[in-house]
Amino acid sequence: MSRKAYITLGDRITAATDLVSQSSWWGQIQTWVEVLLTRLGLRGQGLVVAIPYLWLLLFFLIPFAFVLKISLAEAVIARPPYTALIEWTEDAFIDIKLNIANYLFLLQDDLYWKAYLNSVKVALISTAVCLFIGYPMAYSMARANPAWRNVLLMLVILPFWTSFLLRVYAWIGILKNNGVINNILLAFGIIDEPIVMMQTNFAVYVGIVYSYLPFMILPLYANLERLDNTLLEAAADLGCRPIKAFFSITLPLSIPGIIAGSLLVFIPAVGEFVIPALLGGPDTLMIGRVLWDEFFANRDWPVASAVAIAILLLLIIPIMVFQRFQAKEAEAGTA
Amino acid sequence: MAEAHEVDKRLDPWNDPHATPYIRIQNVTKKFGDFTAVNNVSLDIYKNELFCLLGGSGCGKSTLLRMLAGFETPTVGTIYIDDVDMGSIAPYDRPVNMMFQSYALFPHMTVENNIAFGLKQDKEPAAEITKRVADMLELVQLTPFAKRKPHQLSGGQRQRVALARALVKKPKVLLLDEPLGALDKKLREETQFELVNIQEETGVTFIVVTHDQSEAMTLSSRIGVMNEGQIVQTGTPTEIYEYPNSRFVADFIGSVNIFEGRIIEDDPDHVRIESDEAGCPLYIDHGVTASPGARVWVAVRPEKIQLSRDKPNGEDNCTIGTIEEIAYMGDLSIYRVELDTGKRVRVTMPNLVRGTSDRYTWDERIHLSWQASNAVVLMT
């Protein structure tokens, strides 16, 4: 019976799949799936490529559509706390209510764009600090004795073995008024009263730089480690001193690593919520915290969703810049 | 005892006792941990020479070159270039430039900027840089490719950019590490002559490192053959080929038949050697400094041996065997002959006439003979 079914259905089914299907129910399901996929124009290679797209569809695009939908609704005191986007009316019409008031609200209330600008500022400064600390570290790792390199690499990755949250909490213990730093300084008589570090912007920077430094170091290291040492020898041979050789050879060739590392720090830092919430003060205005407050304190899901969409759109720009850069690199085919 | 040989001794600087060497390498040793890469090498190289350091991989030739460039410091010994001790001079201050085996072109710079890089380090005026880069591009025939990046060039073009970049600063010495190693055979042969022409045109002293003996033969004014960190023989290509001083050199350059034997007669003008391997008395028309009875080796190049069906006159340098293998190479044929003593001998004969039916064939009994002047006695 199944034989007939797919002979009429599929025109591109091969004899090989005939044999696989045989008689068992499993074989039949396989055949049907294959027929379906074939009808959709998916075979072999196409299927392999389809898997990541399917993943993106399921775990990115569909949730994104939900958030987008909520952002266009109105807040109500109900469960769920927003109005439905599509409604069947009494007389069998579909009623679509698109509410862009949430977006307009974002523009009207300066809290949101101030929070966004502040997040970008914090992320930019943190990225720059990560770069200045991370570059020399990555460079010395790449120049280290090969036997040492893996040990150093392990040390960079080691913090990931502990929970991110715990590590941020640990910084509270270090930075607070009777914490490690203040106690040491007091004990040595360097200061008379504790320096207030907790719940300041400084603590937020410390937290972000500390947490995201490995994301800067790893791509930079990968890039610098591949750098051909004979290029530096050639530069020296042509009369270039080591410091100048660094700026005219090493640095330009590590730009892809710098960009990759910077984006890996910048993008999550913009939306960072945990670090400002735990280490920052009440005046540390960051978009991640605003988002949290809208969702859980105000229970205004539509506005919170609008904030989320706005962050996403504003973050897509640097990602696209990076993508374009990578495409250009690939085209140039760095040999 | 007699001079081993008397080749054409023109006014070559290495034969002139009054000439001052341009590069003097004196008792240089380089150790990496326990490993001795270069072992007590002394070498004089003269101005305008194209000197080849020839040897197998790991013989220390590249290390010696890197010491000249300043990338490695000798453990012991001194290197002088134009009478200046290079000991304390950093690579970026040396009057030498190097062409790297991998070319080491800067991938983020255009051909033009790669070539200009060295001149920019010297802070030459911009107009001067532009002019010299243009001249160099013309010399290596790359003018249309000035704006390209290295990855947009073919292997041969990259090689020429590397050469131009190293030459543009008019160095006192140009060091070339396997300059033709990455090119295919045909291109390599063309480029060999190009390299020699450029050397003659620019008048720069070239030191070339290579493992390819035919490359060394075509390129160089002199060759230094290296083995296990030492220079085993220095000489012109002819000297190295015709008068090798050891079995290593004889075997490394070209192919050779070596017969072990004992000296039975040693006079100023000839030497007679008894050899079980050859199956005949060996007579060589030059004397050696050895006592009778000493164990020596006699080297005969394959192309120096004649084959004949009839027994040649005389007993010396004349033996008999059976043709075992024949390899037809087009321009010449290689015969492998098993002597009656069991020793296998390689003989090459040019195919002067097309399609002779009278050619020697497999399993044929054949007489082998060579002139007294065509063999060399080797003491080691």
Side-chain angles (χ1 to χ4, degrees):
Chain A
M1 192 233 124
S2 69
R3 266 185 138 69
K4 248 188 185 158
Y6 61 70
I7 285 166
T8 48
L9 269 172
D11 44 357
R12 289 190 277 166
I13 312 281
T14 58
T17 54
D18 260 337
L19 286 169
V20 176
S21 66
Q22 283 305 317
S23 56
S24 71
W25 59 272
W26 177 238
Q28 279 194 19
I29 290 174
Q30 280 186 329
T31 319
W32 289 336
V33 168
E34 229 178 298
V35 168
L36 181 73
L37 289 172
T38 314
R39 289 256 126 182
L40 289 169
L42 286 173
R43 309 207 69 189
Q45 271 191 324
L47 255 170
V48 173
V49 179
I51 291 168
Y53 282 104
L54 201 69
W55 179 274
L56 279 179
L57 180 78
L58 272 179
F59 296 107
F60 175 74
L61 223 53
I62 294 176
F64 177 77
F66 277 129
V67 174
L68 186 68
K69 186 189 93 143
I70 297 172
S71 79
L72 293 168
E74 270 175 68
V76 286
I77 298 172
R79 189 175 288 187
Y82 54 87
T83 55
L85 187 66
I86 300 165
E87 263 177 328
W88 292 97
T89 53
E90 301 277 310
D91 41 357
F93 276 103
I94 300 173
D95 186 15
I96 301 175
K97 283 188 215 149
L98 287 182
N99 179 14
I100 59 162
N102 298 320
Y103 290 95
L104 293 175
F105 179 65
L106 293 188
L107 293 175
Q108 281 157 7
D109 194 333
D110 64 359
L111 170 80
Y112 298 102
W113 61 262
K114 270 187 182 160
Y116 180 76
L117 282 185
N118 198 51
S119 300
V120 169
K121 190 188 107 188
V122 169
L124 275 179
I125 293 173
S126 308
T127 307
V129 174
C130 277
L131 183 61
F132 279 110
I133 300 174
Y135 200 104
M137 286 175 80
Y139 186 81
S140 48
M141 276 166 68
R143 301 270 135 209
N145 178 335
W148 265 101
R149 270 183 220 168
N150 285 335
V151 177
L152 293 171
L153 201 61
M154 269 310 286
L155 289 176
V156 170
I157 301 169
L158 205 64
F160 290 120
W161 291 10
T162 315
S163 146
F164 168 68
L165 213 54
L166 281 182
R167 285 183 284 132
V168 176
Y169 268 111
W171 274 104
I172 298 177
I174 296 171
L175 296 174
K176 67 185 177 186
N177 285 356
N178 59 349
V180 178
I181 294 177
N182 277 320
N183 282 348
I184 290 174
L185 292 178
L186 284 170
F188 280 98
I190 298 167
I191 49 169
D192 295 329
E193 49 188 83
I195 306 167
V196 179
M197 286 181 286
M198 269 308 293
Q199 294 180 337
T200 62
N201 280 342
F202 171 75
V204 175
Y205 284 122
V206 168
I208 293 181
V209 168
Y210 162 77
S211 304
Y212 290 107
L213 192 59
F215 295 105
M216 179 62 86
I217 294 176
L218 294 176
L220 270 176
Y221 167 76
N223 175 286
L224 289 168
E225 200 233 342
R226 267 184 328 191
L227 184 78
D228 184 359
N229 195 40
T230 54
L231 292 180
L232 296 176
E233 285 185 348
D237 185 65
L238 293 164
C240 191
R241 279 156 192 281
I243 292 174
K244 211 180 158 212
F246 173 80
F247 286 105
S248 52
I249 309 295
T250 311
L251 197 60
L253 288 175
S254 63
I255 286 173
I258 293 176
I259 291 185
S262 297
L263 285 168
L264 283 179
V265 174
F266 179 79
I267 293 169
V270 170
E272 183 55 51
F273 157 70
V274 173
I275 294 167
L278 291 178
L279 302 178
D283 58 332
T284 313
L285 199 58
M286 284 189 74
I287 200 78
R289 263 179 99 176
V290 171
L291 187 68
W292 171 275
D293 286 344
E294 289 298 343
F295 258 114
F296 298 101
N298 294 352
R299 283 185 65 81
D300 191 343
W301 287 25
V303 167
S305 300
V307 171
I309 299 280
I311 304 180
L312 189 82
L313 291 180
L314 287 163
L315 281 182
I316 274 179
I317 296 163
I319 297 172
M320 274 168 64
V321 169
F322 179 57
Q323 288 270 349
R324 251 196 69 180
F325 184 84
Q326 274 199 323
K328 236 171 76 181
E329 278 293 300
E331 202 182 312
T334 38
Chain B
M1 294 291 107
E3 262 292 299
H5 58 273
E6 231 13 89
V7 267
D8 176 26
K9 285 191 172 173
R10 288 160 294 152
L11 286 168
D12 286 327
W14 49 89
N15 292 323
D16 178 359
H18 304 294
T20 24
Y22 200 52
I23 298 154
R24 281 183 290 152
I25 299 168
Q26 291 183 340
N27 306 97
V28 165
T29 296
K30 176 70 189 177
K31 287 185 178 166
F32 295 104
D34 290 340
F35 175 68
T36 309
V38 174
N39 189 1
N40 196 20
V41 165
S42 293
L43 183 65
D44 287 342
I45 297 171
Y46 296 85
K47 206 170 175 153
N48 297 340
E49 264 204 86
L50 204 165
F51 192 94
C52 269
L53 285 169
L54 176 64
S57 59
C59 72
K61 56 190 192 308
S62 289
T63 310
L64 192 58
L65 199 75
R66 289 172 60 79
M67 284 194 281
L68 284 163
F71 302 136
E72 310 283 357
T73 9
T75 315
V76 185
T78 339
I79 295 172
Y80 295 93
I81 295 176
D82 202 9
D83 281 330
V84 180
D85 181 357
M86 289 289 126
S88 57
I89 298 181
Y92 46 81
D93 284 330
R94 292 197 182 200
V96 299
N97 283 135
M98 179 149 164
M99 191 186 139
F100 291 82
Q101 184 174 12
S102 62
Y103 308 146
L105 299 178
F106 305 129
H108 58 304
M109 295 184 195
T110 59
V111 166
E112 216 171 33
N113 288 338
N114 262 286
I115 299 175
F117 187 85
L119 297 173
K120 283 179 186 164
Q121 306 310 315
D122 292 353
K123 307 227 164 41
E124 300 273 354
E128 171 77 7
I129 294 179
T130 321
K131 191 187 162 291
R132 278 168 69 177
V133 170
D135 289 349
M136 218 61 226
L137 281 169
E138 200 164 327
L139 182 72
V140 297
Q141 298 158 32
L142 282 176
T143 312
F145 302 95
K147 305 280 180 212
R148 296 230 189 142
K149 292 266 184 83
H151 63 85
Q152 294 166 312
L153 300 177
S154 71
Q157 288 165 339
R158 277 183 226 173
Q159 190 260 1
R160 300 214 294 276
V161 177
L163 182 64
R165 188 180 71 176
L167 268 175
V168 76
K169 288 187 78 177
K170 299 182 182 150
K172 287 183 174 169
V173 184
L174 184 68
L175 308 171
L176 302 99
D177 191 0
E178 303 274 1
L180 311 173
L183 306 181
D184 60 61
K185 193 171 181 285
K186 190 110 182 149
L187 198 57
R188 196 156 60 215
E189 279 165 11
E190 287 169 22
T191 318
Q192 278 174 6
F193 294 108
E194 219 172 279
L195 210 56
V196 174
N197 288 338
I198 287 173
Q199 195 268 332
E200 281 167 2
E201 217 167 302
T202 54
V204 173
T205 309
F206 277 33
I207 301 179
V208 179
V209 153
T210 180
H211 68 273
D212 182 333
Q213 44 119 344
S214 71
E215 195 174 297
M217 300 288 275
T218 26
L219 288 176
S220 35
S221 61
R222 281 195 304 155
I223 297 173
V225 183
M226 287 191 75
N227 187 30
E228 291 176 348
Q230 290 180 309
I231 293 198
V232 287
Q233 190 174 4
T234 317
T236 62
T238 327
E239 284 170 337
I240 299 273
Y241 187 77
E242 303 291 354
Y243 303 96
N245 66 0
S246 61
R247 278 179 295 162
F248 174 80
V249 176
D251 198 40
F252 193 79
I253 316 277
S255 48
V256 72
N257 299 300
I258 292 176
F259 303 106
E260 196 180 326
R262 279 184 313 110
I263 295 180
I264 43 176
E265 229 181 281
D266 184 16
D267 283 328
D269 66 333
H270 76 272
V271 60
R272 198 181 291 274
I273 289 157
E274 172 193 80
S275 167
D276 292 339
E277 279 187 341
C280 66
L282 302 171
Y283 179 90
I284 294 103
D285 71 347
H286 64 75
V288 291
T289 319
S291 49
R295 197 163 78 122
V296 293
W297 291 268
V298 175
V300 191
R301 295 280 180 198
E303 75 279 4
K304 304 278 194 305
I305 301 177
Q306 259 95 52
L307 295 178
S308 60
R309 291 204 174 95
D310 307 317
K311 191 177 182 320
N313 296 328
E315 286 297 316
D316 297 334
N317 302 338
C318 184
T319 182
I320 189 163
T322 313
I323 296 179
E324 211 178 42
E325 297 278 3
I326 304 169
Y328 174 72
M329 310 293 286
D331 52 348
L332 47 85
S333 290
I334 301 170
Y335 297 86
R336 199 167 75 183
V337 181
E338 189 180 355
L339 299 185
D340 289 359
T341 62
K343 170 89 176 166
R344 285 191 173 81
V345 173
R346 190 183 157 104
V347 182
T348 56
M349 288 187 76
N351 294 317
L352 299 173
V353 186
R354 191 194 290 177
T356 32
S357 54
D358 196 29
R359 205 164 270 162
Y360 308 120
T361 183
W362 285 269
D363 297 329
E364 202 177 330
R365 292 286 291 166
I366 202 87
H367 293 276
L368 296 86
S369 62
W370 57 91
Q371 305 278 311
S373 59
N374 278 343
V376 188
V377 182
L378 306 172
M379 311 300 291
T380 53

